[in-house]
């Protein structure tokens, strides 16, 4: 028996919800089944150690943030990180945006109280508004249609950037050179940047100009949280007769909704997209194996990604028994590190933040564990923005706690800014090189 769906909005107008679902069912798919299959093939390469996954973007996208400038900033940052990681790892980097659908958020409390007023918690722009008023916080199913249209606009922009010359390798590398030259922390990365520069110059001198230099593959992902939305956008592929979630290429199930007998896992089990699951430090090997059995019973490489979110202080103890159990089962999963969610703290000023050093330490522990076990550290999953926000403490810019109020703009959790994201990419490049040495 399937358990009731957790973390779902309490829609006050069921007739309006039914009308929205009917409308969504008639709209074109946002992604195609063939694209999802292609991503699954790329992730199969990650699972066997022949590629690396870079997944990142906003904590919570907003409708107001669906602008060309904002989308371009996140896309550009993802590309810049990918160039560094591709060269350092000497394997392809699969680029998956946490974009074009991350409009719903799980919450630890149903309501929020301020100055004696209690209202529903903000659950993402697909459900209600961030403004603390009764009108804004009332769940409105019509927002699901807005989420669809904003996702479509974001995907269209990313596809244009990916194939329209904006993703040219030489241009992206020039952006990284600017970062190295101008960032307070950039000087430590000069050597790697110079190596990449020489490699590109050598290829150019040889007359090599493959299409991969001028365009990239880009895939979208978000948490499969709002089941009314996901079910309405599920389509049957005419080629295979199989069901695919058409809202994104890859969907993940969050820590709060990963019950193997729950409605979210049941939904993911029925679609043929590649899927992922977030797993925290309290998960047991038995739990992980139950998720594998539910979501990847045939052991299909590329089908299942396990995203660890342990926290810097627990990754080295919590991950080994899980990785050992999965390896013993013979299932080829993709192991990815989310170093953000396990390292959130609140400052005296009331800001939620993350320390860059904690983020880096968790990624370091992730690589150490997999190196010790002989398994593949398959990727990273981070929350970032292309803007110069001040939401996380530390990094090359030396953002301090007192700086948080300058540009604290997130709708939910703190994100790395562009400089901190590139700083992390260069650090991960060093880790990958070290973990690959005999």
């Amino acid at each position: 028996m399937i358990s009731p769906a957790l973390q779902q909005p309490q829609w006050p107008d069921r007739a309006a919800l039914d009308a929205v679902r009917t409308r969504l069912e008639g709209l074109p798919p946002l992604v195609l089944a063939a694209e999802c299959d292609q991503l699954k093939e790329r992730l199969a390469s990650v699972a066997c150690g022949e590629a690396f996954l870079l997944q990142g973007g906003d904590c919570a996208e907003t409708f107001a943030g669906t602008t060309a400038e904002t989308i371009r900033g996140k896309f550009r940052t993802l590309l810049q990180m990918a160039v560094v990681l591709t060269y350092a790892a000497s394997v392809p980097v699969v680029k998956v945006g946490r974009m074009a659908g991350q409009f719903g958020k799980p919450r630890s409390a149903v309501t929020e109280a301020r100055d004696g007023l209690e209202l529903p918690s903000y659950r993402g722009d697909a459900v209600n508004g961030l403004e603390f008023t009764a009108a804004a916080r009332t769940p409105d199913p019509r927002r699901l249609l807005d989420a669809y249209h904003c996702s479509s606009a974001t995907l269209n922009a990313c596809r244009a950037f990916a194939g329209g010359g904006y993703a040219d390798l030489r241009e992206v590398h020039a952006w990284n050179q600017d970062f190295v030259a101008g960032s307070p922390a950039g000087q430590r990365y000069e050597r790697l940047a110079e190596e990449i520069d020489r490699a590109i110059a050598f290829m150019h001198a040889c007359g090599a100009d493959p299409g991969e230099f001028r365009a990239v593959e880009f895939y979208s992902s978000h948490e499969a949280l709002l089941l009314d939305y996901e079910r309405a956008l599920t389509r049957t592929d005419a080629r295979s007769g199989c069901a695919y979630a058409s809202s994104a290429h890859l969907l993940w199930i969050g820590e709060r909704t990963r019950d193997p007998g729950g409605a979210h896992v049941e939904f993911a089990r029925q679609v043929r997209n590649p899927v992922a699951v977030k797993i925290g430090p309290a998960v047991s090997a038995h739990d992980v194996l139950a998720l594998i059995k539910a979501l990847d019973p045939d052991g299909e490489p590329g089908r299942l990604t396990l995203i660890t979110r342990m926290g810097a202080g627990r990754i080295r103890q919590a991950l080994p028994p899980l990785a050992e159990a999965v390896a013993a089962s013979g299932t080829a999963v993709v192991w990815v590190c989310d170093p953000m969610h396990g390292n959130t703290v609140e400052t005296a000023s009331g800001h939620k933040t993350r320390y860059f050093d904690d983020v880096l330490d968790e990624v370091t522990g992730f690589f150490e564990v997999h190196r010790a076990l002989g398994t593949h550290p398959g990727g990273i999953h981070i929350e970032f923005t292309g803007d110069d926000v001040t939401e996380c403490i530390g990094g090359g810019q030396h953002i301090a706690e007192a700086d948080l109020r300058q540009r604290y703009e997130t709708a939910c959790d703190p994100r790395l800014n562009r400089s901190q994201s590139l700083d992390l990419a260069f650090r991960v490049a060093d880790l990958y090189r070290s973990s690959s040495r005999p």
Side-chain angles (χ1 to χ4, degrees), residues 343-359:
N343 295 305
T344 307
V345 297
E346 186 171 326
T347 67
S349 62
H351 291 93
K352 285 199 298 184
T353 191
R354 290 151 177 165
Y355 286 88
F356 181 84
D357 286 348
D358 290 341
V359 170

Side-chain angles (χ1 to χ4, degrees), residues 157-303:
C158 288
R159 284 168 170 150
F161 293 145
Y166 190 77
D168 188 287
L169 174 63
R170 288 150 293 200
E171 183 73 17
V172 177
H173 176 57
W175 298 335
N176 278 345
Q177 288 177 309
D178 289 342
F179 163 73
V180 170
S183 167
Q187 294 179 355
R188 72 165 67 103
Y189 310 130
E190 283 181 340
R191 180 178 176 182
L192 180 56
E194 289 171 356
E195 289 180 29
I196 298 173
D197 193 47
R198 286 195 297 271
I200 293 175
F202 174 77
M203 295 291 287
H204 181 71
C206 292
D209 188 29
E212 290 80 3
F213 272 27
R214 288 172 273 107
V216 298
E217 290 181 3
F218 172 82
Y219 303 97
S220 66
S221 69
H222 64 258
E223 181 175 356
L225 180 66
L226 304 175
L227 293 182
D228 289 315
Y229 181 78
E230 302 300 345
R231 288 167 175 157
L233 286 175
T234 299
R235 303 286 185 265
T236 299
D237 176 38
R239 306 168 307 155
S240 63
C242 296
Y244 285 79
S246 78
S247 63
H249 300 104
L250 181 148
L251 297 172
W252 76 81
I253 300 168
E255 172 79 351
R256 294 181 177 93
T257 55
R258 60 167 171 76
D259 176 6
H264 289 82
V265 171
E266 176 61 18
F267 169 77
R269 186 186 67 79
Q270 295 176 11
V271 297
R272 296 304 306 149
N273 306 58
V275 296
V277 182
K278 293 280 192 83
I279 54 176
V283 72
S284 68
H286 178 270
D287 294 333
V288 172
L289 294 177
L291 286 166
I292 291 174
K293 182 178 179 181
L295 294 171
D296 188 23
D298 299 325
E300 181 185 7
R303 160 67 174 173

Side-chain angles (χ1 to χ4, degrees), residues 420-432:
Q420 290 168 325
S421 299
L422 296 177
D423 199 353
L424 182 64
F426 277 95
R427 303 285 191 101
V428 173
D430 288 339
L431 289 171
Y432 201 104

